[in-house]
Amino acid sequence: MKNIFLVTLVLFLFTACSYKDPNIKSVQTVDLDRYIGSWYEIARYEHKFEKDCKNVTATYSIKENDKIEVINRCTKMTNGEKTEAIGEAYSIDNTNAKLKVSFFWPFYGDYWIIMLDKNYSYAVISEPSKKYLWILSREKKLDEKIKEKILKRLESLDYDLSKLIWTVQE
């Protein structure tokens, strides 16, 4: 009986932790040459590694090994301390719309570009479980019409908009 309980518990935890929403799709293709550069975080789902952050930016560049260097920066709201996290990403296929990102090797997480402006002026990043969500822009502020368009699309995908933290950009 004890073994059945353990197997059931392990199976439950495995399926609960590996839930993937089939409605979450990446964009069809991403031109990495246009995507690289600096982005401002407009909003995010809260998570431990960005707690208490303002002035959040993400900068992407192509490395010599064809992987992508990721540099995330923020200023802590409580004490003004500037923090930086450097990671590495790689595309899992030739669309460049689904990446694997690591800030703590050997652990990689999904980074799916689920919305991308045709001019690469904004992007929305998530992953199949919908645990993480970021709205990024090339500018510190996002036009209200674009913001509403993004929020409508996210709502149609059943994202919980009440969980969004709107990033202070000074």
Side-chain angles (χ1 to χ4, degrees), residues 6 8 23 25 31-32 49 59 77 98-99 104 130 132 147 150 155 157 167:
L6 286 175
T8 304
N23 296 317
K25 309 273 190 238
D31 178 347
L32 285 181
F49 49 91
T59 304
M77 289 191 279
K98 294 178 182 177
L99 306 175
F104 308 102
K130 299 193 309 192
Y132 298 103
K147 179 179 163 184
I150 292 169
E155 190 172 52
L157 294 170
T167 307

Side-chain angles (χ1 to χ4, degrees), residues 5-34:
F5 173 75
L6 286 175
V7 169
T8 304
L9 179 62
V10 168
L11 285 174
F12 171 76
L13 290 174
F14 178 75
T15 55
C17 294
S18 65
Y19 168 76
K20 296 183 184 210
D21 187 325
N23 296 317
I24 304 306
K25 309 273 190 238
S26 68
V27 297
Q28 288 186 343
T29 187
V30 175
D31 178 347
L32 285 181
D33 289 330
R34 293 182 70 196

